[in-house]
Amino acid sequence: MTTPGNCSRGNKASGAKADPKQNIKTDGHSSGTLPSPALAMKLSLLLVVSTAGLWVAVGANSVDSKQSKTDVCPHPFVDINGRCLFINNFAQMTWDAARGFCQGFQADLVAVDEANFLADIVDFIYNEQITDRSYWTGGSDSAFEGEFVWTDGRSVRTGTPCWGVLSDYQQPGGQTNENCISLSKDNYFFFDDLDCNEEISVICEYKFQKN
């Protein structure tokens, strides 16, 4: 099975410097000026989705976490792109505490494994006006430095369209100091590796048991 826009498993990022403006389309009326944050986010979402069309998923054994038409997300989870998410912008906690928090709901930290899924999450964050927080996802390289994996063991793909650019450098860029993946409020909610002991908000995902 192949699906476009996979944010799981792929080639390592080269580590070369990148122009952050390449992750943001301008409106076509100016060539060197960045748009407003709100407009930049919308345009960045278009970039994520358009880039996703160029991607092919790797690994036929990826987990299918989408619920069937008869499934209903349990409270407090909501349906985003056919998956049950709880985006908690009230509590702030470390990555380990965030995972324990999600497990208390019979869930786990979200695996943002498709670019379209990332775009839908970011769209929800903006629509709900909860943009003042960064959010933990289920990705980390705590076990093996530089080998980011989701909590279910699948590898996280590096590079665009899911990872952002900060300070002119393609993320991830924290080396041994930053081992957990967040959706960064400072970079339009693209992936950013942070110190796992940072206290930020959390996105949990509930998965229905498959018969």
Side-chain angles (χ1 to χ4, degrees):
M1 179 182 69
T2 60
T3 54
N6 192 329
C7 295
S8 295
R9 190 166 185 152
N11 296 328
K12 296 293 186 76
S14 65
K17 292 181 68 174
D19 183 352
K21 296 177 184 177
Q22 292 178 353
N23 274 7
I24 305 171
K25 290 184 179 179
T26 60
D27 60 8
H29 297 292
S30 61
S31 60
T33 303
L34 286 174
S36 67
L39 177 59
M41 184 59 243
K42 293 298 182 182
L43 294 173
S44 295
L45 284 174
L46 291 175
L47 176 61
V48 167
V49 174
S50 62
T51 306
L54 302 176
W55 282 30
V56 177
V58 186
N61 295 324
S62 57
V63 175
D64 181 8
S65 58
K66 292 190 176 182
Q67 68 264 31
S68 70
K69 292 182 179 179
T70 60
D71 291 329
V72 177
C73 296
H75 181 78
F77 295 85
V78 297
D79 187 320
I80 298 178
N81 192 25
R83 293 163 69 166
C84 295
L85 301 187
F86 175 26
I87 300 181
N88 185 339
N89 67 311
F90 296 105
Q92 296 188 78
M93 60 195 81
T94 67
W95 190 89
D96 284 333
R99 190 172 188 198
F101 174 84
C102 293
Q103 289 171 339
F105 290 92
Q106 304 301 308
D108 209 337
L109 287 167
V110 64
V112 189
D113 49 10
E114 296 178 3
N116 285 338
F117 185 35
L118 173 60
D120 287 336
I121 291 173
V122 175
D123 199 31
F124 181 89
I125 288 172
Y126 271 80
N127 287 339
E128 295 298 315
Q129 299 181 357
I130 50 175
T131 59
D132 58 336
R133 303 280 193 237
S134 294
Y135 297 89
W136 284 129
T137 74
S140 78
D141 70 343
S142 296
F144 298 100
E145 177 59 33
E147 298 288 339
F148 283 93
V149 295
W150 301 114
T151 55
D152 61 12
R154 289 176 296 151
S155 297
V156 178
R157 181 167 183 158
T158 53
T160 55
C162 292
W163 288 86
V165 175
L166 285 173
S167 301
D168 293 340
Y169 286 93
Q170 174 75 60
Q171 299 302 303
Q175 299 181 351
T176 59
N177 298 322
E178 299 176 348
N179 297 317
C180 295
I181 299 176
S182 71
L183 303 186
S184 173
K185 67 180 178 64
D186 297 321
N187 196 25
Y188 308 110
F189 299 99
F190 287 107
F191 289 5
D192 181 28
D193 53 331
L194 289 182
D195 184 332
C196 300
N197 291 317
E198 290 274 350
E199 294 186 351
I200 61 175
S201 293
V202 54
I203 303 178
C204 304
E205 179 175 9
Y206 178 89
K207 296 182 181 180
F208 289 92
Q209 297 297 319
K210 303 297 181 182
N211 296 325

